[in-house]
Amino acid sequence: MEESAADLDGFTVQVGRLLADGGSEAFFTAHGPLGALAASGWAAEHVRHLLESVCGRPEENVPGMSDGGLAVAQGEGWLLTLRTGAPASAEGTLVSAVGHCLIAPVGPIPARVEIYARPVHERADALDGRALTPLGVHAVARGQVLAVDAGRHLAVFEDPNALCPHLLLTGPPVVPYRLAYDRATLCPVQVSSADLRATRLTYAIRFLAATGRPSSVPRLVELSRHEQHQVRWEAIRALHRVDRKAGTARLREAALGDQHPEIRATAATALGQVRAPAPRPVWAR
């Protein structure tokens, strides 16, 4: 095990040195050390020791293990994960990455990866209907490394259910939004922020909407003007649920002047579905 640990230590030192200067292009220089680590036998030995540990003490938690993957090393701006197969994703969709990645198989069977060219979207945060372009399937053998540029390409395993042990080196976010594409049409169907703070705010807003407490109105009004359009829209929806009058007023404002085209269009549609309050009856005296 000492030799295997030395392999990983050497990799960590090399990658840390290569990526010390930062920058998007610097990340791809780590393909050499990653290919060497994948071909060294370190991964198989690491898995053997891990299985022996789990079998001997199944009640103990294994740090870094989740969703078919095991985080084995990390540094400033990068994370190395040992995976058994493709990361889980919604059925029928292809989801883009927000950071560059390097894929290096460690088993005897080559990884078969579908590559798509990402379109240049008019806006990174809007659904404009521009489709992916298939570039074919790449077979990546042990010792080889497949580089995926997050801004230019989308990569998925040809068979998401196949067991394909591999090392996955991921970098920090380089694109602000993650897009989900329909696998049949290859057109975008959903956009989500790569900013974890925006994601947390979205979940918090949904909770506030579910509780329906009037005391949350001032905060929802504030968040309905957030710089992230997804946070804004979630807050507008929540505000309308908690305070119909304030929410309708905010919908009108968004329909007329929000900077994001999808919010303007969706708010206008929502206003058409909001029924006007019934007139108060005038009783004859």
Side-chain angles (χ1 to χ4, degrees):
M1 187 61 181
E2 293 183 0
E3 182 180 354
S4 297
D7 288 340
L8 183 60
D9 289 343
F11 171 84
T12 302
V13 170
Q14 291 180 61
V15 171
R17 187 184 305 122
L18 289 170
L19 305 187
D21 296 334
S24 176
E25 296 304 319
F27 175 83
F28 295 109
T29 63
H31 75 278
L34 182 64
L37 183 66
S40 69
W42 168 85
E45 186 67 9
H46 186 73
V47 169
R48 185 180 69 81
H49 279 266
L50 175 64
L51 289 175
E52 288 182 355
S53 175
V54 171
C55 291
R57 297 184 296 276
E59 70 282 357
E60 293 187 7
N61 181 45
V62 178
M65 177 178 284
S66 63
D67 189 28
L70 175 67
V72 293
Q74 68 181 87
E76 187 66 32
W78 61 271
L79 172 67
L80 179 66
T81 308
L82 176 61
R83 301 196 61 87
T84 57
S89 61
E91 186 176 356
T93 62
L94 303 170
V95 182
S96 66
V98 296
H100 302 319
C101 70
L102 299 174
I103 302 171
V106 297
I109 301 177
R112 294 182 57 81
V113 183
E114 297 176 358
I115 304 295
Y116 298 85
R118 295 188 59 186
V120 178
H121 292 287
E122 188 172 340
R123 289 185 57 140
D125 61 348
L127 302 177
D128 56 13
R130 302 187 184 188
L132 297 168
T133 301
L135 298 180
V137 177
H138 290 237
V140 190
R142 178 180 173 183
Q144 296 179 330
V145 177
L146 177 66
V148 182
D149 185 313
R152 299 173 55 198
H153 298 111
L154 184 152
V156 292
F157 282 83
E158 184 180 39
D159 182 0
N161 298 315
L163 290 177
C164 182
H166 61 280
L167 290 171
L168 178 66
L169 183 67
T170 54
V174 293
V175 291
Y177 293 93
R178 179 182 289 106
L179 271 75
Y181 298 84
D182 182 85
R183 183 179 277 275
T185 65
L186 300 183
C187 290
V189 293
Q190 185 180 38
V191 59
S192 58
S193 175
D195 188 341
L196 290 178
R197 295 169 298 179
T199 301
R200 293 190 188 103
L201 281 174
T202 298
Y203 289 143
I205 291 168
R206 289 175 184 173
F207 181 80
L208 289 176
T211 58
R213 297 180 64 85
S215 59
S216 65
V217 168
R219 177 64 69 182
L220 291 174
V221 171
E222 175 188 342
L223 290 172
S224 75
R225 304 185 187 281
H226 193 273
E227 60 181 7
Q228 288 270 7
H229 79 281
Q230 291 174 311
V231 175
R232 283 202 308 278
W233 179 243
E234 199 69 43
I236 291 171
R237 292 177 59 204
L239 182 62
H240 188 266
R241 180 172 178 176
V242 176
D243 187 324
R244 187 180 180 86
K245 181 179 179 180
T248 302
R250 189 67 187 88
L251 275 174
R252 291 196 182 98
E253 185 180 354
L256 291 174
D258 195 274
Q259 62 185 5
H260 197 282
E262 290 179 10
I263 289 186
R264 292 196 301 270
T266 309
T269 300
L271 282 171
Q273 298 171 353
V274 174
R275 296 181 180 178
R280 298 181 63 182
V282 179
W283 301 102
R285 297 186 179 183

